[in-house]
Amino acid sequence: GVYPMPAGAVKAQIDAIGADFAIAAVKTGMLFDAEIIAETAAGIRKHGWRNLVVDPVMIAKGGATLLQDEALEAMRTLLLPLAEVITPNIPEAEMLSGMKIHEAADRKRVAEQILAFGAKAVVIKGGHADNPLIAEDYCLDRNGESFVLRSARIHTQQTHGTGCTFSAALTAELAKGEALPEALVTAKRFIQAALSHQLHIGAGHGPTNHAAYRYFAAEGDVQFVQ
């Protein structure tokens, strides 16, 4: 079930954080509707927050749409112009761009369309691609620089929160002052460890293991390909 908060409560939370902390980086997740997105974007501008990572949570594991139709345009026009980087998976990138990704070569034109909305960089995550052996994330920035992060695909049901885990790790690295490429490599290593060392909680899509990176960071190669 989805139970959205009142937009006024979101504003109050943002203002409470803004008044109490020096914020080094910000990550957004599922924002549900246009009003919440508008309040979020207004709060980010008001407090002058930088290093915004937009994780555009739009589609549930089962395929259900989590974002209202009018919210999509609000995200494009209000939130993406503030973003340091946006981290859609393939279905989310297709929804944002209005274009389809049929093969690896399509990622560049989809990324370019998403960047046209104002974000500084986009990372199209490869978890939904068909390759059974490799998980490949494609990054493009507004200067036209691109690279790929490549790792072995891990076949597991323990995938609940995979995208959120990746974007949170990325946000933490940006908060520490890391440049985007280095921050992305660390985030990729973090999620590889979290997926490789499984918790097996519950019978369905179990959660990723956030503690694993502390102990197993050296495991699992991540290739940086330009």
Side-chain angles (χ1 to χ4, degrees):
V2 177
Y3 305 94
M5 293 177 62
V10 175
K11 178 182 185 300
Q13 286 188 335
I14 290 172
D15 286 340
I17 293 296
D20 203 27
F21 293 96
I23 302 298
V26 178
K27 165 183 139 32
T28 62
M30 191 178 79
L31 297 175
F32 185 70
D33 63 23
E35 192 176 3
I36 289 174
I37 290 172
E39 287 290 7
T40 301
I44 290 168
R45 290 195 306 269
K46 173 183 175 181
H47 297 288
W49 291 338
R50 298 290 181 265
N51 288 325
L52 171 63
V53 177
V54 175
D55 182 13
V57 182
M58 298 178 175
I59 302 169
K61 282 278 190 292
T65 300
L66 299 174
L67 196 71
Q68 293 187 343
D69 289 342
E70 63 269 23
L72 182 59
E73 189 59 24
M75 179 172 287
R76 287 169 175 160
T77 59
L78 300 177
L79 200 60
L80 294 196
L82 305 176
E84 188 74 21
V85 58
I86 178 171
T87 61
N89 58 31
I90 288 173
E92 291 161 350
E94 290 178 335
M95 187 179 291
L96 277 167
S97 66
M99 306 162 76
K100 288 293 184 182
I101 297 175
H102 298 292
E103 55 189 5
D106 296 330
R107 296 175 302 184
K108 185 174 188 293
R109 62 187 182 86
V110 169
E112 287 172 341
Q113 179 58 54
I114 294 171
L115 289 177
F117 298 124
K120 292 181 181 177
V122 57
V123 180
I124 300 177
K125 297 172 294 188
H128 288 74
D130 294 330
N131 192 321
L133 301 177
I134 299 297
E136 193 173 86
D137 304 331
Y138 174 80
C139 181
L140 179 70
D141 66 25
R142 65 168 57 166
N143 297 319
E145 299 292 326
S146 67
F147 57 86
V148 165
L149 296 177
R150 187 176 296 149
S151 62
R153 182 176 292 275
I154 300 164
H155 296 278
T156 175
Q157 250 195 316
Q158 312 304 304
T159 57
H160 189 69
T162 302
C164 298
T165 300
F166 174 79
S167 60
L170 171 60
T171 307
E173 290 303 300
L174 293 176
K176 291 190 289 186
E178 292 293 336
L180 182 61
E182 289 76 16
L184 282 166
V185 169
T186 300
K188 182 78 163 173
R189 290 189 183 280
F190 191 99
I191 190 58
Q192 283 295 104
L195 290 170
S196 298
H197 300 274
Q198 298 156 28
L199 295 170
H200 297 287
I201 296 173
H205 288 285
T208 58
N209 182 0
H210 291 182
Y213 182 76
R214 178 175 297 178
Y215 305 104
F216 306 106
E219 294 185 9
D221 185 40
V222 173
Q223 293 179 287
F224 181 91
V225 183
Q226 284 187 299

